Amino acid sequence: MPLKKDRQTTPIIVALAAAMFFGVSLFFAHAQVSAVGPSSDQLDVISSSCQTLKQNLKTIQRTDSRTRSYLGSVYQTLLTNYITPLNLSLVKHNRPSTTITRLYSDILDSRSDFAEKFTSYSQAYEELLNVDCKNDSTNFYYKLENVRKSRVALNDSAKHLRTLFGNFYTATARLKEND
């Protein structure tokens, strides 16, 4: 039985495109992680502008949390409403696609990895916010470096997930062409 082209694949295409578009702006540019310790000037700046740093970090934390929540719901919607039903429909109609099945599994694994990395990032961020940057600027500096590393790992995970969604979109389009 052929797939219903308009009703089943069009929403998938639109949803995947939206997820890739919004996911691109998930996290801002990678911060360079220094292999050398902080200079005394850096520590002085941290100590003297501690309150401003903390306020800015809390703003970023709220934004990150909203972004994570939004992307989590988009990823879940894509899986629940489009990807899983398509995979099940293909199996039900005895037309399994190894590519779709593999991508489905990879997306589930990558989404789990993204959630774990976000949790790790959030915990590192909380540790950073709990440091007294005025009196312990060295510890603050190293906690900040740790947060930056966690953010890079999280960004890489989000990019990988977007790539998988893009690959799924391509596989779905090919499936539609072959119908």
Side-chain angles (χ1 to χ4, degrees):
M1 176 176 172
L3 293 174
K4 295 177 185 172
K5 293 180 182 179
D6 292 332
R7 280 192 247 156
Q8 286 184 332
T9 57
T10 302
I12 293 171
I13 293 167
V14 170
L16 288 172
M20 290 185 328
F21 173 75
F22 289 112
V24 168
S25 61
L26 173 62
F27 298 104
F28 5 105
H30 292 272
Q32 294 297 322
V33 179
S34 173
V36 181
S39 69
S40 60
D41 289 342
Q42 287 173 314
L43 295 176
D44 289 343
V45 168
I46 289 171
S47 183
S48 65
S49 57
C50 181
Q51 279 306 109
T52 303
L53 286 171
K54 291 262 184 154
Q55 287 173 344
N56 290 339
L57 288 169
K58 287 178 183 178
T59 300
I60 292 169
Q61 184 183 39
R62 281 190 302 275
T63 302
D64 284 352
S65 181
R66 283 189 297 248
T67 302
R68 163 59 178 99
S69 178
Y70 171 75
L71 286 177
S73 69
V74 168
Y75 296 158
Q76 187 61 39
T77 298
L78 286 170
L79 282 166
T80 303
N81 296 340
Y82 304 108
I83 296 173
T84 301
L86 175 62
N87 195 33
L88 292 174
S89 177
L90 291 170
V91 171
K92 179 181 174 184
H93 291 90
N94 201 25
R95 297 188 55 206
S97 166
T98 56
T99 302
I100 297 287
T101 302
R102 179 184 45 80
L103 285 169
Y104 174 72
S105 177
D106 290 349
I107 288 170
L108 289 177
D109 290 345
S110 186
R111 187 184 65 143
S112 177
D113 180 64
F114 173 79
E116 288 172 18
K117 283 194 170 52
F118 188 83
T119 299
S120 175
Y121 167 73
S122 294
Q123 290 169 344
Y125 214 101
E126 282 299 321
E127 289 177 15
L128 172 65
L129 290 174
N130 288 328
V131 173
D132 178 7
C133 51
K134 184 160 184 70
N135 297 314
D136 193 4
S137 54
T138 302
N139 189 27
F140 184 86
Y141 174 88
Y142 286 112
K143 295 284 184 187
L144 179 60
E145 292 296 310
N146 187 42
V147 166
R148 288 176 173 166
K149 289 177 187 175
S150 293
R151 190 178 188 98
V152 168
L154 180 59
N155 189 46
D156 291 344
S157 178
K159 283 180 182 178
H160 180 67
L161 194 49
R162 285 191 309 272
T163 298
L164 290 174
F165 279 122
N167 293 346
F168 191 87
Y169 170 82
T170 301
T172 303
R174 283 188 188 132
L175 188 65
K176 185 177 176 181
E177 288 173 5
N178 293 337
D179 243 358

